[in-house]
Amino acid sequence: MFRSRAKTEKAPTDKVTADLSQQPRDPQAPKGRPTPKRSEAQTQRRRAASAAPADRKAAMKRQREARRADLARQREALASGDERYLPVRDKGPVRRFVRDYVDSRFCIAEWFLPLAVIILILSVIQVQNVQSISLLLWLGVIILIVVDSIGLSIRLKKQLRERFPDTPKRGAVAYGLMRTLQMRRLRLPKPQVKRGERP
């Protein structure tokens, strides 16, 4: 009687252990492997910490080299006008046309910086007549730039509507006006057309 009872009690425990092995381990249950010694755990941590920065450094070095190569290609493209490597801001046929349109004309805004320096020097001189002349020059230059920019933007909008009716032209006029504020020889991408040559 006792013997048969022991056998019947053993059988369910075997089933339970088999079922437990199939289920995911409970966090409170024992882990089934010995805890490593502190010295072993510290050496493992040190190895992991020393290995990680080397890989990170190599990855950072590769990223820097790739970034440097991209910047070099962009500089060459800005000098030569190669569309493939230009920054996103300068890419596309619309932006190319705007650049050519602005570069083919004489704009008063491109002389703003040299004129500003001259007017600033005149305003420093402690002579009443010279200071009043410099103030009038400031007003005259600003009015001329505003009038020239309004005329350019109207003509440019008309040209863009005619040449690129279905292409998005968002920001193209502002891009052209910003280009007029730069002196011709300092413009990037470099001008591809001569003055007076229509794009």
Side-chain angles (χ1 to χ4, degrees):
M1 223 165 140
F2 290 109
R3 224 179 275 160
S4 61
R5 191 171 183 187
K7 283 178 185 175
T8 53
E9 283 177 4
K10 262 188 188 177
T13 55
D14 291 341
K15 286 180 187 174
V16 170
T17 52
D19 290 344
L20 283 174
S21 64
Q22 290 173 357
Q23 292 176 354
R25 191 176 73 79
D26 184 30
Q28 301 297 326
K31 62 185 169 231
R33 61 183 166 78
T35 305
K37 291 182 181 177
R38 180 179 288 192
S39 59
E40 290 173 7
Q42 284 176 347
T43 53
Q44 283 178 354
R45 275 200 300 273
R46 278 195 208 110
R47 277 187 204 141
S50 64
D55 295 339
R56 198 181 309 138
K57 280 180 186 175
M60 292 294 283
K61 189 177 179 183
R62 279 196 297 273
Q63 278 183 340
R64 274 198 302 272
E65 286 170 1
R67 199 178 309 127
R68 217 174 278 138
D70 286 345
L71 287 171
R73 273 201 301 266
Q74 276 190 6
R75 273 195 299 273
E76 287 172 18
L78 287 169
S80 64
D82 187 1
E83 285 277 335
R84 290 174 299 168
Y85 303 116
L86 283 176
V88 178
R89 173 184 66 111
D90 301 309
K91 275 186 180 178
V94 174
R95 297 296 169 106
R96 185 178 182 87
F97 174 75
V98 169
R99 285 197 303 273
D100 292 345
Y101 189 85
V102 169
D103 294 337
S104 67
R105 282 162 175 68
F106 173 80
C107 300
I108 297 163
E110 71 183 275
W111 296 102
F112 174 72
L113 284 176
L115 287 170
V117 170
I118 292 166
I119 293 167
L120 198 63
I121 291 166
L122 288 173
S123 66
V124 171
I125 298 168
Q126 296 296 322
V127 178
Q128 188 65 34
N129 290 340
V130 174
Q131 286 185 341
S132 59
I133 288 168
S134 68
L135 186 63
L136 287 171
L137 279 172
W138 264 122
L139 289 170
V141 166
I142 289 167
I143 289 166
L144 284 171
I145 288 171
V146 168
V147 168
D148 188 38
S149 299
I150 290 169
L152 178 77
S153 61
I154 290 167
R155 290 191 302 271
L156 187 56
K157 278 181 188 174
K158 186 182 174 187
Q159 288 288 322
L160 287 170
R161 275 196 302 269
E162 288 174 6
R163 291 186 183 228
F164 306 98
D166 300 326
T167 313
K169 300 172 277 291
R170 186 187 174 103
V173 176
Y175 176 74
L177 290 175
M178 287 301 293
R179 194 167 172 85
T180 62
L181 289 170
Q182 301 163 347
M183 294 185 75
R184 185 181 166 86
R185 68 179 64 176
L186 302 176
R187 289 175 185 167
L188 288 173
K190 295 279 184 194
Q192 302 293 314
V193 294
K194 295 176 181 175
R195 284 196 200 276
E197 185 184 333
R198 291 288 176 262

